[in-house]
Amino acid sequence: MKTLLIEALMPLLATLISIIVPSLLALLYQRFAQWTGIEIEARQREALQSALANGVRLMLRGLSKEHAIDYVVASVPDALKGLKVDGRARIEELLEPHIAAQAASAITPLAHAYLARDMPK
């Protein structure tokens, strides 16, 4: 009796397995693709931010903003394409916060030096 029941259920189990396993594999693939896509985008953002900061450092050494933009374009073309950063005007907009941050960090040590010296003892 048991063998008859098992033999009767085997085609049903085979059908269920043939549906469930590919579905699970498709779901796992989709999750993996989403996860790696996020990782790639994060790496592209990080590379772009680094290139922007380096471009501003070039500006602090006396080069023009155009040179900084050229540096960013040459350094991370894949990141610019992947993040859909179009045109030099957009790169210039992205440079602005870095310029402000670099200017603030360049002034801060001097301000602290003067403040420490001028403090009453």
Side-chain angles (χ1 to χ4, degrees):
M1 185 73 171
K2 281 185 180 179
T3 56
L4 232 99
L5 187 59
I6 291 174
E7 287 178 9
L9 290 177
M10 284 306 274
L12 179 62
L13 287 174
T15 304
L16 285 174
I17 289 173
S18 69
I19 292 171
I20 292 172
V21 170
S23 299
L24 286 175
L25 288 174
L27 181 64
L28 288 173
Y29 175 77
Q30 181 184 18
R31 296 291 180 178
F32 179 75
Q34 288 174 345
W35 179 74
T36 56
I38 291 170
E39 287 293 312
I40 290 169
E41 183 179 328
R43 279 188 247 132
Q44 287 176 338
R45 274 194 318 265
E46 186 177 318
L48 177 59
Q49 292 300 320
S50 178
L52 291 167
N54 289 337
V56 170
R57 285 188 197 102
L58 292 174
M59 289 174 58
L60 291 175
R61 291 183 181 165
L63 294 177
S64 68
K65 190 181 280 189
E66 292 302 316
H67 283 99
I69 294 171
D70 291 339
Y71 173 81
V72 172
V73 169
S75 295
V76 288
D78 293 337
L80 293 171
K81 184 193 281 186
L83 296 171
K84 296 180 177 96
V85 176
D86 304 355
R88 299 176 70 81
R90 179 65 181 136
I91 296 171
E92 185 175 352
E93 288 175 21
L94 294 171
L95 278 172
E96 293 301 325
H98 289 274
I99 293 169
Q102 288 288 337
S105 68
I107 293 171
T108 302
L110 289 176
H112 285 294
Y114 286 116
L115 289 175
R117 186 193 71 200
D118 295 335
M119 296 290 282
K121 293 181 182 181

